[in-house]
């Protein structure tokens, strides 16, 4: 009696299968917990729950008793001399195998920079990242493998690191950037390129100065002004020397193959020289200029910032939000109205979202065509607090007659639109704020000294006292915040240095259109054009001490009164007094030409340049520009700039503009913009959420307790710390397990398929860590089967090499296919397909198939077949490790060093060995097709075994009925392999008209192949039916409980829609499970 078995779902063939399964299991556990919690709230279910708990407890106690009984029997057997065949197992120390512990100690004892000799350091039984990662990086660096050789004919591949801020430590976003870059660099180096990756750090002006100022205040109770500029800068350099090296140590832990002999810092003498040169040249070309314009002023940091350093918050209406440095919350999203008395009688009502700025009003504007104000045009209003006469002007460009009252207050020194209006009408520019954001003398005695946002309600109250206040209304608005301090940006009138960007931006657009510069992924191109085509001039002055001091000098004539010479940086500054020079002597010579015959003194600008100015020079300043150095000649322009899309405008666009302007060349041929890293829930990484991940915590592992402690002692208040710790407990209830560098790198690179954002789930990294262990075990097995005296073939194997079995030819074909998939994907930076290709080869071709297929051969007596199989295995291992190396550098080096080498192999390290290349000599489409048929037979047979609950040790006979030469030849060719992979006693290939013995389960694969698995005598149908009946009963109880919950009064109205949807889905799954169980019982009944 034959029976078609129920179909079994196919397991996903993706490299994330294990991690996905782990995630699904956790999700199922969470759902189960939610169900129990809901049930606990229902009084009607208390009795059933208690009974269920009692049953579970009894079952647990029975299980414990059984285990105790088994343990006692085992001890008794061991005491009698049995149990382990007379072999005493090695004791474990602290839960670690002694052999593994000895291997770890030997690895860690390797002197720094010395070779980790496999003959001295034994191979551990299990994969241990600490063991594997020990010693290799220092050896690579000492041997000079990270350095290119100058003057060779090899093609060049050069990239510069996006220099991380010297202030801090790397986060997971940096880990992504450096994992991608190192993968590319290692691949290019192995592929025959002179590869150079230049390391460096950025001085991070605002961030670094803030950190050191806080340190001085906290530890010594002093400010930078107490020290003075020179002493303060000495302290900053001391801090940099003490803490700045942390990032480089982290980069080394990530395996980054950077040329440390070319390490750069943006404040180095060489890079500082480039900064001065760039400023001087760009000023001479009219691209750098001085102007008194509105800047984005951060009162908290007391410096100007650029437009792209401003974050925006959209408000729908009135809302009180906290502002750093202010007392209590501040109201935004409202518009307040008040009246200005008109000179000679009457009033005009204006509205503003910033009432405090009326202290700096210098005009009221109306539309020239507005009939309501025809009679007042050209008249004046009187400022209610200081009596200043303010003109009523006409401006059709600014005023919208239909908005509000049609009258607009003008504050030219504190609003971008008003600034332009002030320029058009030659209005007075009154600055009513100090740099700290306090009301200055212009506010009069009543408001002087107030914080700007404390003045807001004070001004409204004062207007109300005078009967001039007319109320407020909601006003949707965008609020600009400093991206660093989160302070509300204040438009402030300041004389500053600016860069004219329009012409340089147009050239950068042309380069992208002509493909002289390639933006990847392509969907980022429109963003590139949109921003550059609407670019505004760039304010490069920063009111800091730490950074590149601007090489500009203010001329003061001898004997000149203070008010005549003006104050540089202040409202009285005379813009024509500035001269430029790389050094003071050069500036003095320039001043003598500009002001002949005059005696003068020079004062260098106190400000420093925007950090991004020096960063914009990085691709060529690191090679010694403006000097014509050998490095500049050989390595510039570079090949690639790889970074996150979040700094496309901060850095990438400025590098292109400045590179083209100053060197005449696009600084890199391609820009690859990777995705942003978010947490598993899609949230932005934030310390206050507790979801910021330190890559070292993923590499080394960390307990939840220690993870919680990382949040203390920082800038978070107690409430924020508690909230963040709760988030950590939810995401990492057991902490973060040790994953190792290789697993983390592979996971991050594989994640780049997700597009603009990466939702990082650490469980996926854990899955790859388990995969490393599988790789380790496969190599251990292989080395054991190769034998101590094995010599690899001197000539590469091909599918035409004599003596190769079909399985060996298939393995070579699959290696060749994996090489093509991986290399093709890497050429276009398709990291998802690249990682999938190399993972699939190791997981599905080597581990799951070929290693299993070779076992019967190695256990046989045919020595020639053994040698051919060993040669194929070695070829797959050697090629597979090389293929994987750029993604997982440490484990591949460790394992490659333990493989036998060809006599002709000259590479001392896998990282300088040749990368595999596709070859037609390893293409065998016929054997690929035959193995595909065989694998379908194996999958179908495994499904049958699962459907009938066959135990792994149960070896049933398999009959394969085929029709047609292709299917028949394939089944016969791989019959032994099918038996091995499907766990069958034997495989009989029969024709379409041959009879099949009774008692088989059957699956029809297609019109050419059907498989029949002999079940008679292998399974106990009655016992299996009993198990299924018990399972069905339990499932039906769950259905009844869920249905009762869903049928309760008010369920549709009171239960949230998402919960109802989840319950409906659960019910559907449970009902499907009952139907599937019933079908399986029917199958077993037919075997009785």
């Amino acid at each position: 009696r034959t029976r078609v078995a129920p179909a079994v779902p196919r397991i996903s063939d993706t490299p994330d299968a294990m991690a996905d399964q782990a995630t699904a299991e956790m999700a199922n556990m969470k759902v189960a917990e939610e169900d129990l919690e809901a049930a606990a709230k229902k009084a009607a279910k208390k009795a059933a729950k208690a009974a269920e708990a009692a049953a579970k407890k009894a079952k647990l106690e029975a299980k414990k008793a059984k285990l105790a009984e088994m343990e006692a029997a085992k001890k008794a057997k061991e005491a009698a001399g049995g149990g382990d065949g007379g072999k005493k197992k090695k004791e474990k120390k602290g839960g670690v195998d002694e052999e593994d512990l000895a291997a770890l100690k030997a690895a860690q004892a390797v002197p720094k920079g010395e070779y980790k000799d496999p003959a001295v350091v034994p191979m551990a039984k299990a994969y241990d990242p600490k063991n594997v990662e020990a010693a290799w990086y220092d050896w690579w660096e000492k041997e000079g493998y990270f350095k290119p050789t100058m003057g060779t004919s090899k093609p060049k591949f050069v990239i510069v690191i996006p220099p991380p801020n010297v202030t801090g430590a790397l986060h997971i976003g940096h880990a992504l950037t450096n994992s991608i870059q190192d993968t590319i660099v290692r691949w290019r180096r192995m592929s025959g390129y002179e590869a150079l990756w230049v390391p460096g750090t950025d001085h991070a002006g605002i961030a670094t100065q803030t950190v050191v100022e806080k340190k001085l205040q906290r530890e010594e109770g002093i400010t930078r002004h107490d020290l003075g500029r020179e002493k303060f800068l000495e302290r900053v350099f001391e801090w940099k020397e003490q803490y700045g090296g942390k990032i480089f140590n982290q980069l080394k832990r990530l395996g980054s193959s950077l040329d440390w002999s070319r390490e750069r810092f943006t404040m180095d003498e060489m890079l500082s020289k480039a900064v001065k040169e760039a400023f001087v040249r760009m000023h001479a070309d009219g691209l750098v200029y001085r102007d008194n314009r509105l800047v984005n002023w951060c009162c908290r940091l007391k410096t100007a910032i650029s437009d792209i350093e401003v974050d925006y918050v959209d408000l729908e209406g009135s809302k009180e939000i906290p502002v750093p440095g202010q007392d209590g919350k501040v109201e935004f999203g409202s518009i307040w109205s008040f009246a200005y008395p008109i000179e000679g009688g009457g009033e005009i009502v204006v509205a503003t979202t910033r009432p405090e700025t009326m202290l700096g009003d210098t005009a009221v504007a109306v539309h020239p065509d507005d009939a309501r104000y025809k009679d007042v045009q050209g008249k004046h209003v009187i400022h209610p607090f200081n009596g200043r006469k303010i003109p009523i002007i006409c401006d059709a460009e600014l005023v919208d007659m239909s908005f509000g009252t049609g009258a607009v207050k003008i504050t030219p020194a504190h609003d971008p639109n008003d600034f332009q209006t002030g320029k058009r009408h030659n209005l007075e520019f009154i600055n009513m704020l100090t740099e700290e954001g306090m009301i200055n003398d212009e506010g009069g005695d009543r408001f002087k000294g107030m914080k700007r946002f404390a003045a807001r309600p004070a001004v409204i109250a004062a207007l109300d006292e005078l009967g001039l206040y007319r109320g407020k209304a909601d006003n949707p608005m965008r609020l600009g915040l400093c991206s660093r301090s989160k302070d509300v940006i204040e438009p402030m009138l300041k004389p500053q240095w600016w860069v004219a960007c329009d012409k340089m931006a147009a050239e950068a657009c042309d380069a992208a259109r002509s493909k002289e510069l390639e933006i990847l992924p392509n969907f980022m191109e429109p963003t590139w054009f949109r921003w550059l085509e609407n670019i505004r001039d760039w304010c490069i002055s920063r009111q800091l001490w730490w950074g590149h001091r601007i090489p500009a000098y203010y001329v003061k004539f001898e004997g000149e009164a203070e008010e005549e010479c003006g104050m540089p940086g202040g409202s009285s500054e005379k813009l024509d007094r500035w001269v430029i020079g790389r050094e003071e002597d050069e500036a003095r010579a320039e001043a003598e030409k500009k002001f002949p015959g005059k005696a003068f003194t020079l004062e260098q600008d106190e400000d420093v340049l925007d950090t991004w100015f020096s960063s914009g020079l990085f691709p060529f300043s690191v090679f010694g520009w403006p000097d014509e150095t050998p490095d500049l000649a050989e390595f510039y322009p570079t090949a690639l700039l790889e970074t996150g899309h979040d700094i496309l405008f901060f850095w990438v666009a400025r590098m292109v503009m400045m590179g083209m302007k100053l060197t005449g060349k696009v600084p890199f041929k391609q820009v690859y913009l990777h995705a942003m890293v978010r947490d598993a829930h899609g949230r932005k990484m934030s310390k206050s959420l507790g979801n910021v991940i330190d890559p070292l915590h993923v590499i080394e592992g960390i307990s939840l307790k220690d993870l919680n402690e990382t949040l203390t002692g920082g800038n978070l208040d107690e409430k924020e710390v508690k909230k963040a710790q709760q988030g950590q407990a939810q995401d990492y209830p057991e902490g973060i397990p040790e994953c190792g560098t290789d697993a983390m790198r592979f996971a991050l690179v594989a994640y780049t398929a997700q597009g603009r954002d990466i939702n990082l789930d650490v469980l996926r990294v854990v899955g790859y860590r388990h995969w490393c262990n599988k790789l380790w075990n496969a190599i251990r097995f292989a080395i054991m089967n190769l034998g101590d005296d094995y010599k690899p073939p001197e000539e590469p194997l091909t599918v035409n090499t004599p003596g190769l079995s079909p399985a060996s030819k298939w393995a070579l074909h699959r290696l060749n296919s994996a090489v093509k998939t991986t290399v093709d994907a890497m050429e276009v930076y398709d990291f998802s397909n690249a990682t999938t290709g190399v993972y699939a080869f190791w997981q599905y071709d080597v581990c799951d198939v070929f290693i299993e297929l070779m076992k019967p051969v190695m256990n046989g007596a045919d020595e020639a077949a053994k040698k051919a199989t060993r040669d194929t295995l070695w070829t797959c291992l050697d090629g597979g490790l090389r293929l994987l190396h750029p993604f997982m550098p440490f484990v591949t080096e460790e394992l490659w060093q333990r493989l036998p080498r060809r006599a002709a192999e000259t590479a001392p390290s896998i990282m300088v060995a040749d990368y595999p290349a596709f070859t037609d000599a390893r293409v065998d489409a016929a054997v690929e097709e035959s193995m595909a048929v065989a694998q379908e037979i194996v999958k179908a047979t495994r499904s049958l075994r699962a459907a009938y609950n066959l135990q792994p040790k149960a070896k049933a006979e398999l009959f394969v009925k085929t029709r047609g030469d292709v299917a028949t030849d394939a089944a016969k060719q791989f019959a032994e392999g099918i038996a091995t992979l499907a766990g069958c006693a034997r495989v009989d290939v029969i024709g379409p008209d041959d009879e099949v013995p009774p008692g088989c389960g059957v699956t029809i694969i297609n019109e050419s192949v059907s498989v029949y698995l002999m079940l008679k005598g292998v399974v106990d149908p009655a016992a299996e039916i009993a198990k299924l009946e018990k399972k069905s009963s339990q499932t039906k109880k769950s259905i009844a409980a869920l249905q009762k919950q869903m049928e309760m009064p008010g369920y549709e109205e009171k239960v949230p829609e998402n919960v109802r949807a989840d319950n409906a889905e659960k019910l559907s799954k449970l009902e499907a499970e009952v139907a599937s169980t019933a079908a399986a019982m029917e199958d077993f009944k037919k075997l009785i």
Side-chain angles (χ1 to χ4, degrees), residues 295-486:
V295 298
N296 300 306
W297 187 262
C298 175
C299 299
R300 191 73 171 166
L301 299 176
K302 289 182 284 189
T303 184
I305 62 173
S306 66
D307 290 341
I308 55 178
E309 291 171 301
V310 180
D311 295 335
Y312 290 95
V313 177
D314 290 315
L315 301 176
E316 295 300 322
S318 180
K319 185 177 182 180
E320 291 190 343
I321 61 174
V323 177
Q326 300 298 311
D327 302 321
K329 294 184 177 181
V330 181
E331 183 179 358
F332 295 95
S334 294
I335 188 165
W336 289 266
S337 298
F338 67 92
Y340 266 123
I342 299 174
E343 184 180 30
E347 65 178 31
I348 190 167
V349 177
V350 295
T352 177
T353 58
R354 301 156 66 211
E356 66 279 8
T357 62
M358 62 87 65
L359 299 173
D361 283 357
T362 59
V364 171
V366 297
H367 197 282
D369 298 334
D370 196 333
R372 292 171 293 178
Y373 301 112
K374 286 289 184 183
D375 295 340
V376 299
Q377 291 176 11
K379 292 188 176 182
H380 292 79
V381 297
I382 306 299
H383 199 287
F385 301 140
N386 55 33
R388 186 168 63 242
K389 292 175 65 175
I390 298 174
I392 300 173
I393 62 174
C394 295
D395 195 296
E397 188 173 335
L398 174 72
V399 180
D400 178 359
M401 288 189 289
S402 64
F403 183 78
T405 63
V408 181
K409 61 182 283 298
I410 306 298
T411 320
H414 291 283
D415 182 271
N417 292 323
D418 293 2
F419 175 82
Q420 297 298 332
T421 305
K423 288 282 190 181
R424 286 194 298 273
H425 295 271
N426 198 27
L427 298 175
E428 184 180 5
F429 286 70
I430 297 176
N431 182 2
M432 37 73 65
L433 289 175
T434 67
E435 292 184 349
E436 294 79 11
M438 314 288 280
I439 305 299
N440 63 18
D441 292 344
E442 295 293 342
D445 293 339
R446 181 164 185 171
F447 304 108
K448 179 182 175 181
M450 281 187 176
K451 293 180 180 180
R452 56 187 165 143
F453 294 128
R456 178 170 294 182
V459 166
I460 293 169
L463 288 168
D464 199 24
E465 288 174 14
L466 297 172
L468 299 174
Y469 180 55
R470 297 292 181 265
K472 72 171 181 177
D474 282 347
N475 182 67
M477 65 179 294
R478 298 190 78 202
L479 188 64
L481 305 178
C482 173
S483 62
R484 295 190 178 276
S485 70
K486 304 308 175 188

Side-chain angles (χ1 to χ4, degrees), residues 15 746 749-751 768 822 825 830-840 887:
F746 197 88
V749 174
Y751 256 117
Y768 288 123
T822 304
D830 182 354
F831 301 107
S832 176
N833 275 335
T835 51
T836 298
V838 69
Y839 179 99
F887 308 94

Side-chain angles (χ1 to χ4, degrees), residues 59-73:
K59 186 176 179 180
L60 183 62
E61 293 300 325
K63 190 174 181 179
K64 285 182 179 178
K66 181 74 173 175
L67 288 171
E69 184 183 338
M70 290 171 65
E71 186 64 25

Side-chain angles (χ1 to χ4, degrees), residues 864-887:
K866 287 183 182 180
K867 176 67 169 78
T869 302
R870 287 191 182 103
D871 288 348
T872 304
L873 175 64
W874 179 88
T875 300
C876 288
L877 299 181
D878 178 75
L881 288 173
R882 293 175 192 236
L883 197 64
L884 181 59
H885 175 75
F887 308 94

